[in-house]
Amino acid sequence: MACLTINDIVALIKRLVAVYENWSREGDISAHRPCPAEGCDCQFRHRHGWQSRFVVCGGRGEQIRVLRLFCPKCGKTETLSPEWLRRYSPYPWPWQEAAALYYVGGPGGYRPVASLFGVDYTVLWGWVRPLAAVAVDLVEVVVSELLHQEPGAELDLKPVAHGAVLHKARTAEKLRGLAHLPLLARGAEALRAACRRRAQLPDGEAGGALGWLSRYLPLHEVPPRLWLASHRRPHSLSASAPS
């Protein structure tokens, strides 16, 4: 993600929006037809309209329609949100991830980086702080899961040099967290690629791996201080899913 420019990330998000909207209108949703509600054995949920969501990046926003499914047996509905769009936030995961990594890797503080990404500095702080709080623990989880998926897999485990973020952290705990953020992003990207290879799926778009990770990790495997958008594992890694 660090090698992508702002324009690259905007173009990536536009492609993700187009792919999701095409999938939600015409794609195969058979993997999502069975109802996931506990105690419900319905195998065919119906399309149930759309939920409007805004996607904002680069100071521009657009509205997308998110597909909803309805279970005729238990009466519950589910919104099939794309994995790259965080719940209750209009900012896509690739945008949040890139902003956090720009903040960690560059000389600027919250205000200049936030201005670059078209958000208030408090918004950027709200992205970076909870990520840094769990980065060290999540790196261990991701590496363990990666080795489970691909024994012998190699991953660069060297975090950012502490000197690069020393002036941005007042405590040793935050210092370690910020230094591990790029490693967490690399690990999530490697794990996503490994899962796709194991499921014999083509490579997906680069970026936004933290959003994918938030859906992949079961709730019991993540630390209590949660940055995760959702705790539901996808129905199937080999299924056609909103990505």
Side-chain angles (χ1 to χ4, degrees):
M1 175 63 77
C3 64
L4 298 181
T5 66
I6 297 294
N7 289 337
D8 290 336
I9 303 167
V10 171
L12 161 66
I13 293 170
K14 287 183 177 180
R15 289 195 300 271
L16 292 175
V17 167
V19 168
Y20 174 80
E21 290 192 325
N22 181 67
W23 173 84
S24 66
R25 289 193 306 266
E26 305 172 3
D28 179 12
I29 63 171
S30 58
H32 301 275
R33 294 287 191 182
C35 182
E38 185 176 356
C40 183
D41 58 0
C42 176
Q43 297 299 305
F44 195 87
R45 293 186 294 170
H46 304 288
R47 290 176 179 268
H48 191 64
W50 313 85
Q51 180 187 70
S52 294
R53 292 285 305 272
F54 275 98
V55 176
V56 178
C57 68
R60 297 181 295 273
E62 64 177 291
Q63 195 173 37
I64 67 169
R65 298 195 309 169
V66 179
L67 179 63
R68 301 176 71 208
L69 295 181
F70 170 74
C71 176
K73 189 167 184 177
C74 69
K76 294 183 178 180
T77 62
E78 181 184 15
T79 301
L80 298 183
S81 299
E83 69 178 25
W84 45 265
L85 188 58
R86 189 170 184 170
R87 184 178 293 180
Y88 309 126
S89 173
Y91 300 104
W93 265 111
W95 196 245
Q96 297 185 39
E97 180 180 322
L101 294 180
Y102 267 69
Y103 169 76
V104 172
Y110 281 118
R111 293 180 186 273
V113 175
S115 177
L116 181 65
F117 281 82
V119 299
D120 188 84
Y121 80 94
T122 59
V123 173
L124 176 61
W125 179 83
W127 296 344
V128 174
R129 184 175 178 272
L131 276 171
V134 299
V136 176
D137 292 332
L138 275 181
V139 164
E140 295 181 3
V141 174
V142 168
V143 171
S144 175
E145 184 68 14
L146 177 61
L147 293 176
H148 173 73
Q149 295 286 343
E150 289 189 348
E154 296 184 0
L155 180 66
D156 180 7
L157 296 177
K158 184 179 180 181
V160 171
H162 281 192
V165 295
L166 190 59
H167 64 290
K168 300 180 181 181
R170 295 182 180 180
T171 66
E173 182 181 8
K174 184 178 179 181
L175 179 63
R176 290 184 68 230
L178 290 177
H180 276 75
L181 266 184
L183 176 56
L184 175 60
R186 292 199 304 270
E189 193 68 62
L191 177 58
R192 178 169 64 177
C195 289
R196 296 188 73 87
R197 285 193 294 269
R198 187 168 183 174
Q200 297 183 335
L201 296 176
D203 291 337
E205 293 274 12
L210 296 182
W212 173 88
L213 184 66
S214 73
R215 291 176 179 260
Y216 178 79
L217 289 178
L219 178 59
H220 67 272
E221 291 185 7
V222 298
R225 286 179 295 180
L226 248 22
W227 55 270
L228 302 177
S230 167
H231 311 306
R232 292 180 296 112
R233 186 186 292 271
H235 293 295
S236 171
L237 286 174
S238 62
S240 173
S243 59

